[in-house]
Amino acid sequence: MPVRVLVDSAALLNAPDLPGELLIRIPLTIRADHRAFREGVDEIPPDLWPPADRSIGFRLEPPGEEALRELYLRLAPGTSAIVAVLHSGRLSPLVAQAQAAASAVLGRCPVHVLDTQTLGAGQGWMAETALRLAAQGQPAEEIVRRLRGMLSRIYTVFITESLEPLERNRLLSKTQRILGTMLGIRPFLMMEEGALLPLEKARSTEKAMEKLLEFAAEFSRAERVAVLYGPARAPQEAHAFAQRLQEVLRARELRVYPYGPSLAAWIGFDGLGVTIQE
């Protein structure tokens, strides 16, 4: 029986050659303006992507423990083990709920829950690695060992134009948000041990993008690089930035991704980010 890989919709996947029968996608529910949709399943209301009123915020809601228990019970009869590759447990309760739900198949189908301590491209890379190893017939324990080895080699940073999502997610106080908006501050955010932390700030978009380049330039042995951009940013801007980034890094692989609603819930609709795997 095969190992099956669960991954939630916060992950950005770009590997059409991977065995789809081993992959189970867990959609996250996005709530906004008294409406809700399932990421990757339901069509996003066009007036919400992005919304004209930027004070409208997205809230991320993972499936509950009972829904995960039912999923495990459905998969268990034809599965040797389940490897759940999930977004950071410090950004939502999904990791904790997935671990608690595993008791439903205790003794019948081992469930390995991996907190990737990130989301987006880095989480997607881990899920793709898990799928490749599962397709090769590797046991779940070896898959998890390999994924844990990736944790310390993936770095993610963002800049954003909007401070409202940061206040909503308690990354900034209301006073900081008001003052930052008045001064035109662009925060520089980093994923650090699973938490999204505002570390620095810039007074213009151009200076914020220079900070992204300076950060990336420290990784002379970058293996993979992803540039992520929100729906309120022009794709041309993201691709132009990616070209500048490649001149600095000469990475083996560099891709540009539009990010989805789950990332927008944390950094807003006009974010620009870089994920690097050493």
Side-chain angles (χ1 to χ4, degrees):
M1 292 189 294
V3 172
R4 296 189 186 275
V5 177
L6 303 188
V7 61
D8 62 84
S9 60
L12 295 173
L13 298 174
N14 186 26
D17 59 316
L18 293 176
E21 69 275 8
L22 300 182
L23 175 66
I24 308 297
R25 294 298 301 265
I26 304 172
L28 302 171
T29 296
I30 306 296
R31 299 196 176 275
D33 194 24
H34 307 294
R35 287 180 283 178
F37 58 91
R38 293 167 298 168
E39 185 176 36
V41 176
D42 302 326
E43 185 176 352
I44 306 175
D47 61 316
L48 287 180
W49 194 244
D53 180 1
R54 298 299 169 81
S55 66
I56 295 174
F58 282 11
R59 290 188 296 108
L60 187 155
E61 183 178 291
E65 183 180 332
E66 185 57 36
L68 293 168
R69 290 169 69 92
E70 292 175 2
L71 176 60
Y72 293 159
L73 288 168
R74 178 168 59 83
L75 294 176
T79 304
S80 64
I82 296 169
V83 177
V85 185
L86 306 179
H87 70 262
S88 172
R90 296 182 69 174
L91 301 183
S92 92
L94 180 58
V95 166
Q97 291 170 344
Q99 290 170 334
S103 62
V105 290
L106 188 65
R108 286 180 286 168
C109 178
V111 177
H112 303 266
V113 178
L114 181 80
D115 181 347
T116 64
Q117 300 183 14
T118 188
L119 76 170
Q123 181 190 358
W125 292 337
M126 290 190 189
E128 290 166 9
T129 298
L131 280 168
R132 290 194 175 92
L133 294 171
Q136 295 168 9
Q138 296 288 341
E141 293 78 8
E142 175 61 15
I143 295 173
V144 172
R145 187 189 71 81
R146 294 277 293 272
L147 296 183
R148 291 194 186 283
M150 296 176 68
L151 287 175
S152 62
R153 297 188 291 115
I154 293 177
Y155 305 85
T156 298
V157 292
F158 289 99
I159 59 171
T160 181
E161 309 286 324
S162 302
L163 304 188
E164 288 82 359
L166 307 186
E167 180 192 356
R168 191 162 48 248
N169 290 299
R170 300 180 181 178
L171 302 180
L172 295 178
S173 68
K174 182 177 181 179
T175 301
Q176 289 173 316
R177 190 263 301 169
I178 293 173
L179 184 60
T181 300
M182 291 172 57
L183 296 176
I185 295 298
R186 273 67 170 173
F188 182 89
L189 310 162
M190 177 179 285
M191 291 296 307
E192 189 77 49
E193 296 183 349
L196 189 61
L197 303 176
L199 297 182
E200 297 185 54
K201 54 185 180 293
R203 292 291 296 270
S204 69
T205 299
E206 292 74 19
K207 289 181 179 179
M209 293 174 74
E210 288 299 324
K211 284 185 177 292
L212 283 184
L213 283 172
E214 289 172 10
F215 173 84
E218 298 177 11
F219 297 89
S220 58
R221 295 185 299 169
E223 182 178 348
R224 288 195 283 194
V225 179
V227 173
L228 316 176
Y229 67 96
R233 280 193 181 269
Q236 298 91 330
E237 180 186 19
H239 282 276
F241 177 77
Q243 185 173 353
R244 293 177 64 193
L245 197 59
Q246 181 65 336
E247 292 171 359
V248 171
L249 288 178
R250 302 293 180 187
R252 181 178 62 83
E253 175 187 315
L254 190 152
R255 297 182 182 272
V256 180
Y257 298 87
Y259 64 68
S262 54
L263 253 170
W266 279 92
I267 62 172
F269 305 99
D270 47 22
L272 180 70
V274 178
T275 297
I276 298 172
Q277 180 181 346
E278 281 193 301

